[in-house]
Amino acid sequence: MPWLSGICTLWLLGFVVLAQNFNVVSPQKNVIPAQNFNQRTGLKTDCLGSYMRLTVDKSLAFGSLVEFDVMNGSQIEPLTPSLASKCGFSIDSDPWGNYRVFASLFNCFAENEDDHLFDINMRVRVRGVKAEQDVFQVEKTCTHDQWAPREVLCDRNYMEVSVNRLPGEITAMRRQPKMAERQAKGDYQWPDTVSEAITSKYNIWRMVFFTPKQKAMVLEDALKAGYGVITTKSRLVLRSGFDMPETYVENVNGIPMKVIKVTTYFKRQWSVTMLDTVAACPVGGLSFTDEMITWYFPRVNPLMTSTEANILGMFMGIDGSQIDSAQMATRGYILTIEGNNIVMKIPIGGPDGYYKSHAVDNQYNIRYYIEPMLQLLWSEGGMDSTKYRVLFPIKTPFMPRPPQFVDLTDVDKRMFDVILGPFLYDVELVNITFSAGVLTLAEANVRGFNIQEQRFQNGSKAFRLQVPFSDSFVVRTQTDLLLTVYNLRLVYGFMIFPESISFSYIATVDVTLQDITLPTVGGSCDKEKFYITISYGNLGKNFNIMLGKRDLTPDLSAEYDIKENVSHMSLVVPFLAFDVAFELMYPSSLRARLDVLLWEPVNKWTLSDFSLACNFPMTMTECFSNGSMSALAVKVESVPQLNPSQLTLRDHSCRPKFSNDRFAYFSYDANGCGTTRKFYDGVMMYQNEIILGNGPPVYQQGKSGVTTLPPDPEYRVTVSCFYTLNDTQTIAFFTKPRENEPLPETGFGELHVVLRLALDGSYNNFYAEEDYPVVQYLRSPLFFEVVLLRSTDPQIELVLESCWATLKEDRISTPRWDLIVDGCVNLADNYETIFHPVTPGGVPYPSHVKHFEIKMFTFVQNHVMLQDQIYVHCDAVLCDANQNDGICKRLCPSPIPLKTGNKVRRDATNDQNQKAQLSTGKILLSAS
Ligand SMILES: *[C@@H]1O[C@H](CO)[C@@H](O)[C@H](O)[C@H]1NC(C)=O
Ligand SMILES: *[C@@H]1O[C@H](CO)[C@@H](O)[C@H](O)[C@H]1NC(C)=O
Ligand SMILES: *[C@@H]1O[C@H](CO)[C@@H](O)[C@H](O)[C@H]1NC(C)=O
Ligand SMILES: *[C@@H]1O[C@H](CO)[C@@H](O)[C@H](O)[C@H]1NC(C)=O
Ligand SMILES: *[C@@H]1O[C@H](CO)[C@@H](O)[C@H](O)[C@H]1NC(C)=O
Ligand SMILES: *[C@@H]1O[C@H](CO)[C@@H](O)[C@H](O)[C@H]1NC(C)=O
């Protein structure tokens, strides 16, 4: 091991940065005129002690890519990261595109004049969108001659140490004893002029790196490995990137420091000189609270050979420039010594730094960035002093800033109104994903969503979005019959610029409103159809329609004449349509009902339940005067199982003439099919029943021995034809098993009983209506016939209850003369009324006919003939041929002439309607 030659250099106490902003910047080729170049281009250079700062303003680049070149003489070298850390450059930019380049004055390419004047040549290239680029040349001369014996610079990407390589005389003297030793060995030469020479670059024999194990390299290998080693007129400069293999981390008071430690051996002839170069730069020591950054730096650091080192100066800077205590105070910066540490405190959020957005696991975070500088000057006794500078970019840890989602929705305006924020300046809203799709901002605004960016005073912003409830992107859910939930689900798509990092934010906003107008149904009927109108309410046609028991399908729309517009639907349903239910049968009408149910298909809610029942005229029973009858049986909804084809009359062999699944039509005669006949008070009623043809009702013997009726048959319609003498009444009793509403109704038919005057006693020819007045001689016979026309029922007997003559046409006028009273000839009549028997041979139904004869007479009052005319009237009733009481079987006394002027008024029956009231036309007495 050669003997050591430590070097102690001249020291400078205090250092003044002699910096003049003396920029020489000229355009290289295309764009920029020479004058006022700085302002126009936004390029600025500052000499800041041992380095130069080049600032490229964002206005120069407008977000384009900016690249830097260095000039190695006339050669242009792109400034790559490895070249930068090897050669003493660092580049940094902020989100706006402002660049800050630091160049050590001892960088590889500076033209160094006596370690006093440094010329730095660089180029700035701005690459535009089209491959064109603008190139600016930057030339700067910095003057700096206040070099401390040792200067350490911790830049962002490298550590640099420079030491005075020219040992002063004192040093040489001090080392003399050792040199004397060497001299004694014969290899000593008094270093009068050799100092300069021996520590020159060309004498570098080897370099020993402490990692902390020793590792020796020759200069060439060290340069090849990426270390920067240069000698200047007075100094040896060593530069190393932070991640070079021969660096190591040393923990100092818990603060990690990166160390590069090299001893350089210079050898010339017999002499070896060594220079120690050590740089140690902090790579930690930060602690953060929400408001404050605290940076701890060890007061005693590996660069100090003893703990006695005396700190002579301690300064703070920002972005590479030193600031004074007044500036520090306004910003709230603090720089103190606390115990073993130098402590710098920086409030988070100050204007010297900036915030930046980050997406961390898709969560919104921000960070605060600031680049303080710490500058120390210490001396370790005697004249050794070190000037130490750290450019220390700090970024706080990620600070989660979940944005606030503020719901300002105005229900009255039916508009979602939400604000999301705050976000930093560098966040842009790119798109919004709705449940139905994605819209870019522009698309959303076109759609009317009114997206606004709101700015706060501090530059933060928030995004406001308005979406009408009515938009189809709003999901509407009906939670019950009347409540609607309007739901807006949003995924905001954000992008952080300039890095183009995206993140998203999911938000949901709900409004529940009772704003549903349910659809309604209305309707009316005429004689044939139901007219239904459905009004949709405010949800449109979101319901299904059930008519009766069926859903209304599109195929039925023609059948029911469905018409629709945006708000209404109408349909017309004939009363015999399949979907109509029959409630009740009446003799001449059918009560039919249409049920309309509106229901919501998803939740099966009933929205409207409407029924309309009307009576539709319909002939159910017809009673013909010849005794034929027809009846229609209808399947009513209370007997759902009924098969109409199985219906019969009482006589089960009498089946429907026609049937389908809802109707059975019967046609039968009074004489057949089990039709019964009833007479009472001159009224005749035919009756039959329509029943299920499963055998006649039978009486059963119950267990108790009591006779009980079997349960009512399921279906029984009693059909009655009800005849009085000149009209027919039909009555259909519908007997239902359980209902309380068998409603008989009466319909009217025709039955003709006539009173007519025969030409003679043969009763073959009769006067017609137009023959009246008929003229007859006094006491000549008048032959009257009363006949029930058309009926074919032999069981009916026509009975004349009374006949009389009047002077006037009015049948109840006076004077009047009784001819037949209570079915018998008027015994008081002088001119006897004569009944003539009707022989079976002459007419088909003799019991339907009565013949009687009177003699023409006139009314006389006080022996004065009143007028020469009469009218004849009869009341006739129908009787059962087998009946034996009342007028029908009255036995008349033998015709004994009784002289009496009293006319007998009898009230055979009070009910005039049950009699045929018959009258002739005028019969005139022949004047001749
Ligand atoms: C500068 O150019 C010279 C000559 O071309 C070359 O030898 C030297 O390595 C270059 N310097 C650097 C740092 O690239
Ligand atoms: C900016 O101002 C807004 C509104 O006053 C606030 O919510 C937000 O936190 C501020 N942002 C910063 C970074 O201070
Ligand atoms: C919406 O924007 C975000 C953020 O930029 C992006 O990641 C996403 O792909 C976009 N979505 C669509 C569908 O374009
Ligand atoms: C739709 O039809 C209904 C009833 O037919 C009518 O009252 C209404 O005015 C119509 N509406 C439109 C928009 O045509
Ligand atoms: C009775 O009259 C009706 C209607 O005129 C007719 O259809 C029917 O055949 C007649 N019945 C008889 C038995 O003549
Ligand atoms: C009987 O028939 C005649 C003629 O058709 C009519 O004028 C009269 O009102 C009827 N009588 C009754 C009680 O219906």
Side-chain angles (χ1 to χ4, degrees), residues 9-62:
T9 51
L10 291 168
W11 58 277
L12 288 159
L13 207 157
F15 43 93
V16 179
V17 177
L18 294 179
Q20 282 178 325
N21 285 344
F22 186 73
N23 297 347
V24 185
V25 183
S26 61
Q28 205 191 27
K29 39 179 188 199
N30 32 11
V31 262
I32 314 295
Q35 291 89 354
N36 297 326
F37 192 75
N38 312 348
Q39 284 174 345
R40 299 270 316 257
T41 60
L43 291 168
K44 186 165 175 280
T45 48
D46 302 286
C47 296
L48 300 170
S50 59
Y51 48 82
M52 181 206 80
R53 181 176 66 188
L54 165 63
T55 313
V56 180
D57 189 80
K58 58 179 183 292
S59 61
L60 184 76
F62 292 121

Side-chain angles (χ1 to χ4, degrees), residues 72 75 77 83 87 108-109:
N72 182 8
Q75 202 171 328
E77 302 265 3
L83 184 67
C87 282
C108 304
F109 310 106

Side-chain angles (χ1 to χ4, degrees), residues 310-545:
N310 188 15
I311 294 193
L312 303 172
M314 189 167 75
F315 305 93
M316 181 179 172
I318 290 291
D319 294 336
S321 338
Q322 191 182 322
I323 55 174
D324 61 24
S325 50
Q327 286 170 295
M328 285 174 66
T330 54
R331 298 282 195 251
Y333 302 142
I334 294 169
L335 183 60
T336 55
I337 295 180
E338 282 178 14
N340 288 331
N341 289 318
I342 295 166
V343 180
M344 187 184 287
K345 285 184 189 283
I346 301 172
I348 291 177
D352 290 331
Y354 60 88
Y355 282 108
K356 178 92 197 72
S357 299
H358 292 272
V360 180
D361 296 334
N362 199 40
Q363 301 299 307
Y364 184 63
N365 280 255
I366 63 172
R367 267 182 160 176
Y368 180 70
Y369 292 73
I370 189 164
E371 185 168 5
M373 180 186 76
L374 175 64
Q375 182 169 305
L376 297 174
L377 180 70
W378 69 79
S379 113
E380 295 181 59
M383 286 180 288
D384 271 351
S385 73
T386 301
K387 193 157 90 180
Y388 182 84
R389 292 220 261 184
V390 193
L391 300 170
F392 199 60
I394 296 174
K395 52 188 177 193
T396 62
F398 292 117
M399 299 183 279
R401 287 291 185 275
Q404 305 293 307
F405 184 69
V406 184
D407 183 0
L408 302 178
T409 298
D410 185 340
V411 170
D412 293 337
K413 289 185 184 146
R414 301 182 69 79
M415 178 85 86
F416 284 113
D417 191 349
V418 290
I419 296 181
L420 182 63
F423 295 100
L424 291 184
Y425 59 92
D426 57 352
V427 172
E428 294 298 339
L429 178 57
V430 177
N431 60 30
I432 300 180
T433 307
F434 298 87
S435 40
V438 185
L439 295 184
T440 64
L441 234 52
E443 289 166 343
N445 277 321
V446 166
R447 203 182 164 100
F449 288 174
N450 190 21
I451 300 177
Q452 292 168 354
E453 188 179 291
Q454 299 189 332
R455 289 272 180 181
F456 300 110
Q457 274 189 336
N458 61 14
S460 291
K461 55 186 167 185
F463 298 97
R464 183 170 184 169
L465 168 68
Q466 291 175 315
V467 178
F469 290 178
S470 58
D471 193 276
S472 62
F473 278 6
V474 175
V475 178
R476 234 156 301 175
T477 322
Q478 209 177 332
T479 53
D480 71 16
L481 213 48
L482 294 172
L483 293 183
T484 315
V485 177
Y486 293 86
N487 173 271
L488 188 61
R489 200 188 126 86
L490 304 163
V491 181
Y492 290 83
F494 292 105
M495 195 163 266
I496 300 171
F497 287 99
E499 303 89 337
S500 300
I501 303 291
S502 52
F503 70 99
S504 60
Y505 183 88
I506 298 175
T508 298
V509 53
D510 282 339
V511 169
T512 302
L513 284 186
Q514 187 167 345
D515 62 352
I516 290 182
T517 308
L518 293 178
T520 54
V521 186
S524 61
C525 305
D526 64 8
K527 287 186 155 70
E528 293 169 355
K529 289 165 180 163
F530 292 96
Y531 298 89
I532 302 295
T533 307
I534 300 171
S535 152
Y536 289 170
N538 62 358
L539 291 183
K541 192 178 175 299
N542 67 335
F543 49 80
N544 287 10
I545 302 173

Side-chain angles (χ1 to χ4, degrees), residues 593-786:
R593 193 187 72 239
L594 181 61
D595 296 330
V596 183
L597 179 77
L598 306 185
W599 59 284
E600 188 268 345
V602 178
N603 300 294
K604 311 238 183 312
W605 288 321
T606 296
L607 306 180
S608 178
D609 191 356
F610 174 84
S611 281
L612 177 63
C614 295
N615 286 332
F616 295 94
M618 190 175 182
T619 305
M620 308 301 287
T621 306
E622 279 185 294
C623 303
F624 300 108
S625 43
N626 63 7
S628 276
M629 286 162 265
S630 71
L632 189 65
V634 175
K635 177 173 171 176
V636 287
E637 65 174 345
S638 57
V639 196
Q641 307 306 329
L642 183 71
N643 177 354
S645 72
Q646 292 172 349
L647 292 172
T648 66
L649 293 171
R650 276 186 189 136
D651 179 343
H652 292 162
S653 65
C654 292
R655 311 191 66 84
K657 290 279 181 292
F658 160 80
S659 69
N660 63 15
D661 56 347
R662 311 179 86 196
F663 297 100
Y665 174 78
F666 294 90
S667 169
Y668 57 98
D669 285 332
N671 256 338
C673 293
T675 309
T676 58
R677 176 186 300 101
K678 274 188 188 152
F679 290 86
Y680 44 90
D681 285 346
V683 179
M684 183 189 66
M685 183 175 72
Y686 292 119
Q687 209 169 53
N688 207 322
E689 284 174 329
I690 300 172
I691 47 179
L692 265 178
N694 49 2
V698 282
Y699 292 93
Q700 289 174 331
Q701 197 73 22
K703 269 189 188 159
S704 60
V706 178
T707 304
T708 53
L709 281 172
D712 265 349
E714 257 196 285
Y715 189 88
R716 168 179 289 171
V717 178
T718 303
V719 185
S720 303
C721 276
F722 179 66
Y723 293 83
T724 59
L725 277 183
N726 84 332
D727 57 35
T728 308
Q729 292 182 319
T730 62
I731 303 173
F733 289 93
F734 176 56
T735 316
K736 293 203 283 180
R738 49 177 195 280
E739 300 299 308
N740 48 1
E741 41 182 339
L743 283 175
E745 272 215 355
T746 309
F748 295 92
E750 284 181 6
L751 179 66
H752 288 284
V753 179
V754 295
L755 166 62
R756 54 194 180 178
L757 188 55
L759 294 182
D760 55 42
S762 71
Y763 287 99
N764 286 330
N765 298 301
F766 299 91
Y767 290 105
E769 294 245 348
E770 57 272 22
D771 296 334
Y772 287 91
V774 172
V775 179
Q776 190 58 287
Y777 296 107
L778 192 65
R779 305 231 178 162
S780 295
L782 294 166
F783 298 96
F784 292 98
E785 179 180 82
V786 179

Side-chain angles (χ1 to χ4, degrees), residues 94-110:
D94 68 16
W96 297 270
N98 299 303
Y99 284 80
R100 256 193 336 262
V101 179
F102 289 105
S104 166
L105 297 189
F106 290 131
N107 72 69
C108 304
F109 310 106

